[in-house]
Amino acid sequence: MTIYGKALLYLARHPSVALLPLGAAAIDLFIWYWGTLFTDPLGGFGTGLFQMVIQIVYLFAFGGAVIQANNIARGHRTSFRDAWIETRQKSGGILLAAIGFQFVTWFAGYLGAFLGGGIVQQALQIIAYFFLIFTIPAAAIGGLPGALALSGSIRAVRANWLGAIVLAVVFVALWVYLPEYALTPLVPYGFFAARGGLAAINAIVLAYLAFPFAVTYDETAFRGRYY
């Protein structure tokens, strides 16, 4: 059974992996609600900043989930408390990596828009996201802070193209397309119910993805395939 199947069993046995992503989801709702109160009177000005902050919160929470998932997948006796202690110790590096990830992917989109937008912009963003896909695991379990995590991700992708492609496909399927179908039953109950449902789905998806992200990076970086 591959890690994508095992991840379901791991998460069922260790639901505490979802605690940090669920906390990020709660912060997401809080920032989104208060952000709309500030930005709506300004015609939406500042919305992008709030969204960037939310993404950084999710990335940080994902880093903590990856740490715990990696310990579980390695067969170590671990708990949420242990993972949280390690996350706090690496918090600076994870935050810098998250900020760097956000900046580089944003710049790729900005550069693509400058060069003509459309397909060019989408292509540059896809390339950036793909090569930086291991940024958070590189900071969380690889101990590489900031820019080193970005370069570490690029090296990991080059060392394991197939694993990175599969991981990217699964991520897009669960993070982008799953909510579109899962939230359909909540639409009649209003926008707030749908927004809350989206945050909850995001948290569960991140908790599940923490296992394949951790294992794929761990196998690439620490078992002779990283160069």
Side-chain angles (χ1 to χ4, degrees):
M1 185 185 297
T2 67
I3 185 56
Y4 295 96
K6 289 181 180 179
L8 294 172
L9 296 178
Y10 286 147
L11 186 57
R13 294 171 181 170
H14 305 275
S16 60
V17 175
L19 287 179
L20 280 178
L22 285 171
I27 295 174
D28 176 4
L29 290 176
F30 178 82
I31 293 178
W32 169 79
Y33 176 76
W34 288 102
T36 55
L37 295 182
F38 286 105
T39 58
D40 284 353
L42 300 175
F45 179 78
T47 301
L49 178 60
F50 283 107
Q51 290 177 340
M52 183 173 291
V53 171
I54 289 172
Q55 290 303 314
I56 291 173
V57 169
Y58 272 120
L59 288 171
F60 179 81
F62 184 57
V66 165
I67 288 174
Q68 187 175 0
N70 186 56
N71 290 333
I72 293 170
R74 283 187 169 194
H76 298 167
R77 296 188 63 180
T78 185
S79 65
F80 173 77
R81 182 177 179 275
D82 297 328
W84 175 237
I85 291 174
E86 187 174 348
T87 301
R88 285 189 300 173
Q89 292 172 345
K90 297 178 178 178
S91 59
I94 296 173
L95 282 174
L96 286 175
I99 293 171
F101 176 88
Q102 285 289 95
F103 175 77
V104 173
T105 53
W106 169 84
F107 181 77
Y110 180 82
L111 180 61
F114 178 77
L115 294 176
I119 296 177
V120 175
Q121 182 179 19
Q122 292 179 0
L124 286 178
Q125 283 189 305
I126 290 173
I127 291 172
Y129 279 116
F130 178 69
F131 278 98
L132 299 183
I133 194 169
F134 291 117
T135 298
I136 297 303
I141 60 180
L144 301 176
L148 292 178
L150 300 178
S151 60
S153 176
I154 294 172
R155 291 196 301 271
V157 170
R158 291 176 58 192
N160 189 2
W161 283 91
L162 181 59
I165 290 172
V166 172
L167 194 59
V169 171
V170 173
F171 176 84
V172 171
L174 296 181
W175 184 263
V176 178
Y177 292 105
L178 175 63
E180 182 178 346
Y181 297 99
L183 294 177
T184 300
L186 295 178
V187 172
Y189 296 97
F191 184 74
F192 288 97
R195 193 67 180 77
L198 175 61
I201 290 174
N202 285 343
I204 295 172
V205 166
L206 285 184
Y208 167 79
L209 288 174
F211 291 97
F213 267 84
V215 170
T216 304
Y217 178 80
D218 188 53
E219 290 179 345
T220 303
F222 302 123
R223 298 183 186 177
R225 301 176 60 189
Y226 190 62
Y227 55 86

